[in-house]
Amino acid sequence: MHSLIYRSVANDSFLLPEIYSMLSKAKDHNAEQGITGCLLYHNAHFLQLLEGDEKELEQLYGKIINDKRHHTVELIQKEEYDRALFKDWSMAFYDYGLGDSAQQLKMEQIDAIFNEEQVLREKHASVLPFFVHVKDILFA
Ligand SMILES: Cc1cc2nc3c(=O)[nH]c(=O)nc-3n(C[C@H](O)[C@H](O)[C@H](O)COP(=O)(O)O)c2cc1C
């Protein structure tokens, strides 16, 4: 099981309706390829964790890099580990969407760790703990 984490910046015209439409195709594709992961969308930035077999991940990442809907794609980390973190998710997505107060609280918590852990600003030794944290918050 391999994982790959990158960040990028959404183009101005790539907004939530377009992102949701991209995601619905991405989930089908990921399910076929045994790829799982989590995509976070925060202030027009994406941070995505992809998990799966190395070959499939490299193929997908190649497409993602060339996708004109975002830019400044930057690989943060590639790692091998035993078990997928988001094993039941063909692509969990979190956009800080509309929300009740529980959603609002999750948003604030994720915002806080985004800032605390500086994942969008610095090269990180390991971003995986950040995703473990995000997962705990999202599925609490
Ligand atoms: C931020 C972002 C995340 C994406 N995540 C995925 C993904 O998890 N799985 C996927 O199949 N495509 C994803 N895509 C779309 C791919 O870049 C590509 O359009 C898609 O795989 C279809 O490629 P194809 O038409 O050449 O088969 C993502 C695109 C962007 C901009």
Side-chain angles (χ1 to χ4, degrees):
M1 161 73 45
H2 283 75
S3 71
L4 186 158
I5 298 171
Y6 73 87
R7 68 185 150 212
S8 67
V9 182
N11 287 353
D12 291 346
S13 58
F14 196 39
L15 299 169
L16 277 180
E18 289 77 30
I19 295 173
Y20 275 112
S21 145
M22 178 280 289
L23 267 173
S24 97
K25 289 182 203 147
K27 284 181 184 172
D28 290 345
H29 172 261
N30 292 356
E32 272 166 30
Q33 302 286 316
I35 290 174
T36 58
C38 178
L39 177 66
L40 297 173
Y41 179 62
H42 175 75
N43 291 343
H45 287 74
F46 290 112
L47 185 70
Q48 188 173 29
L49 164 70
L50 296 164
E51 306 171 314
D53 287 342
E54 193 172 19
K55 191 168 149 261
E56 276 74 28
L57 282 194
E58 289 298 335
Q59 265 172 10
L60 175 58
Y61 186 59
K63 286 184 190 173
I64 290 177
I65 284 180
N66 289 313
D67 197 313
K68 298 282 178 277
R69 293 172 286 193
H70 64 166
H71 59 91
T72 327
V73 181
E74 200 181 349
L75 182 67
I76 303 180
Q77 178 186 304
K78 267 162 109 174
E79 236 180 58
E80 199 176 345
Y81 49 77
D82 295 341
R83 195 166 160 271
L85 192 59
F86 287 85
K87 72 175 174 53
D88 298 324
W89 293 84
S90 58
M91 192 46 62
F93 179 63
Y94 193 62
D95 70 359
Y96 292 18
L98 346 135
D100 52 18
S101 57
Q103 282 276 72
Q104 181 70 23
L105 184 63
K106 287 182 182 185
M107 182 190 95
E108 284 166 15
Q109 287 173 324
I110 292 182
D111 229 9
I113 59 169
F114 253 112
N115 293 328
E116 232 170 75
E117 308 199 18
Q118 306 230 324
V119 277
L120 292 177
R121 262 165 277 152
E122 285 178 10
K123 285 245 176 225
H124 239 243
S126 181
V127 199
L128 215 51
F130 169 79
F131 273 101
V132 173
H133 206 153
V134 166
K135 189 184 165 200
D136 287 346
I137 295 172
L138 288 183
F139 305 117

